[in-house]
Amino acid sequence: MRRGRHLVCRSRLRSRSAVTVSKGRDDAARAEAQPAGGTPAGHAVAIESFLAELAAFREAASESLGRVADAAGLEQARVEFLGARSGRLKAIQKLLSGLAAGDRPAGGRHFNDAKAAVTAFFADVQERLVGGGAAAGAAAADAIDVTLPGEPVRLGHVHPITQTIRRVQEIMARLGFESVDGPEVEDQWHNFEALAIPAEHPARDPLDNFYLAVARGADPLLLRSQTSTVQIRVMENRRPPLRIVSLGRVYRPDTADATHYPMFHQVEGLLIEPGTTMAHLKSVLRQLASSFLGGDVHVRFRPSFFPFTEPSVEFDMEWGGRWIEMGGAGMVDPAVLAAVGYDPDEVSGFAFGLGVERIAARRYGVADIRDFYRNDVRFLRQF
Ligand code: PHE
């Protein structure tokens, strides 16, 4: 209520001569208590009026200062409000002694608050004006010199393992093999059973696989231990002829060393076509090896065993005068063809699997496959 009245009276309060002498009863009593001659004007000043003067002063000062746009305007506002001789604040200060003795401490506190607030606002505006000028100068100093040579931007690139995967996909595509993906979390059927790895087979040992704590129904799930799972998934859904290649992650609880890592990548190839023989398998592997490593790479088969191929081989490649073991392969076992609903008397084909890290390490001369996963840019930048 009082506040509203002050706002209404602002125009009057603004002028110095407009100091109102309260006519209220309390104020009158206070005025009487005031010794005569205690104020410059010779009569008492009510605290309410004094505070109203201060409030109006603050409001007018912040309004004016807020509108100041240059140094001249700022100086003008300073003289008007804070001027030492005839500024408005000075005028209000003179009223202090007109207050009743009991009101003076409070009046003084309010006076000091108003003075501090307006002085601080004045400093802010001053800084804004001066600071703006300084910033403009700095901007000129920072201006871009378009004649200077640019700074080279260092671009990232694809990880060497991903590069290897893409390269293998490209080579296999030229031989007519389509790239497909399969899930990394697998069930027993796709990782083992359909691949003729029965329940009692040591390959299913919990110590050799990452079984998940969750199961789908009664069927435990695991992180796939081989990409041969994708052979099954594709054959279940398609009819021959088939040429597919699948590259992805597999997981085995191996201790990490220079040639092992609990997660690595495999290339899985599958071809199902009438009249397929081991000779076709060898040609495809040789093509892949020669294209990927460059030069004439020889491929050698050694008899081996996998539950899902018959006959089975391990294959080595000779490159740079050395034979290196590359992976496993063979003719798809009739039991596997039957498991996916194919007639083993009508269709046949071959499958192979090899480690991506192994061929990448070979091609790039990396001695320790753990380097691929250390994420050290000094290593990765070389590819
Ligand atoms: N899946 C086998 C492994 O991980 C490799 C393989 C794939 C062997 C296809 C034969 C046929 O060792």
Side-chain angles (χ1 to χ4, degrees):
M1 189 57 190
R2 175 172 292 171
R3 191 154 230 271
R5 191 182 49 151
H6 291 159
L7 286 176
V8 171
C9 297
R10 195 193 304 153
S11 56
R12 270 176 56 220
L13 291 169
R14 215 174 249 170
S15 82
R16 257 206 285 163
S17 58
V19 173
T20 47
V21 177
S22 174
K23 293 173 184 71
R25 231 202 281 150
D26 289 355
D27 296 326
R30 206 175 284 141
E32 272 165 26
Q34 185 74 22
T39 67
H43 45 65
V45 177
I47 184 76
E48 287 83 357
S49 308
F50 179 77
L51 295 180
E53 281 286 336
L54 272 182
F57 164 78
R58 282 176 82 146
E59 199 164 325
S62 63
E63 202 181 303
S64 291
L65 283 168
R67 267 186 284 119
V68 159
D70 53 24
L74 184 66
E75 176 59 10
Q76 210 178 328
R78 189 192 65 75
V79 170
E80 180 183 350
F81 293 100
L82 301 170
R85 267 196 292 143
S86 54
R88 284 200 203 177
L89 189 64
K90 190 77 192 166
I92 296 173
Q93 190 179 2
K94 287 180 186 156
L95 299 176
L96 257 178
S97 54
L99 287 174
D103 288 337
R104 262 182 231 155
R109 241 188 349 267
H110 282 97
F111 177 85
N112 287 336
D113 285 352
K115 181 176 178 176
V118 173
T119 307
F121 191 41
F122 174 84
D124 279 356
V125 175
Q126 190 170 39
E127 190 167 328
R128 169 163 60 82
L129 292 174
V130 175
D142 285 354
I144 293 168
D145 180 351
V146 293
T147 63
L148 289 173
E151 274 182 37
V153 178
R154 184 179 293 144
L155 291 178
H157 62 73
V158 171
H159 191 278
I161 292 297
T162 308
Q163 287 184 37
T164 303
I165 288 173
R166 293 189 182 166
R167 179 88 184 107
V168 170
Q169 285 173 332
E170 204 178 282
I171 295 165
M172 294 304 289
R174 281 195 259 132
L175 298 172
F177 287 76
E178 175 198 348
S179 263
V180 294
D181 274 332
E184 288 176 30
V185 173
E186 266 297 6
D187 51 34
Q188 306 274 318
W189 170 256
H190 293 96
N191 201 85
F192 299 127
E193 243 125 78
L195 290 162
I197 305 173
E200 68 280 4
H201 196 283
R204 293 174 69 154
D205 195 306
L207 292 176
D208 291 330
N209 294 283
F210 285 112
Y211 283 97
L212 303 190
V214 291
R216 192 191 295 143
D219 187 15
L221 298 175
L222 75 159
L223 295 177
R224 66 180 178 190
S225 61
Q226 52 183 348
T227 43
S228 299
T229 53
V230 185
Q231 292 182 36
I232 304 303
R233 288 194 171 271
V234 170
M235 288 192 286
E236 279 174 337
N237 291 304
R238 298 197 204 173
R239 306 302 305 169
L242 280 179
R243 284 189 192 194
I244 59 107
V245 67
S246 186
L247 290 95
R249 294 186 182 125
V250 299
Y251 302 83
R252 294 178 192 175
D254 288 331
T255 305
D257 62 25
T259 54
H260 295 85
Y261 207 73
M263 183 280 302
F264 60 101
H265 297 74
Q266 282 189 330
V267 185
E268 189 83 15
L270 173 72
L271 180 146
I272 307 281
E273 268 169 39
T276 306
T277 70
M278 295 283 276
H280 296 118
L281 169 63
K282 202 170 198 176
S283 303
V284 167
L285 290 173
R286 191 168 171 195
Q287 264 300 326
L288 171 61
S290 301
S291 303
F292 182 76
L293 294 171
D296 195 12
V297 180
H298 295 277
V299 170
R300 172 172 82 183
F301 282 167
R302 282 179 290 113
S304 186
F305 174 79
F306 295 101
F308 38 92
T309 44
E310 182 60 35
S312 300
V313 294
E314 282 187 65
F315 60 97
D316 308 327
M317 294 176 183
E318 190 211 12
W319 192 62
R322 269 179 63 209
W323 285 99
I324 355 139
E325 205 181 302
M326 280 301 184
M331 301 305 289
V332 180
D333 195 296
V336 173
L337 297 171
V340 297
Y342 288 3
D343 181 352
D345 291 330
E346 270 178 26
V347 295
S348 63
F350 66 71
F352 65 88
L354 68 150
V356 173
E357 280 77 358
R358 202 172 272 189
I359 58 171
R362 194 66 209 143
R363 162 142 184 216
Y364 296 123
V366 173
D368 189 332
I369 67 161
R370 287 170 294 188
D371 284 336
F372 286 126
Y373 302 114
R374 287 201 175 101
N375 279 341
D376 184 334
V377 285
R378 291 167 304 177
F379 171 79
L380 295 173
R381 208 178 275 153
Q382 303 174 88
F383 300 94

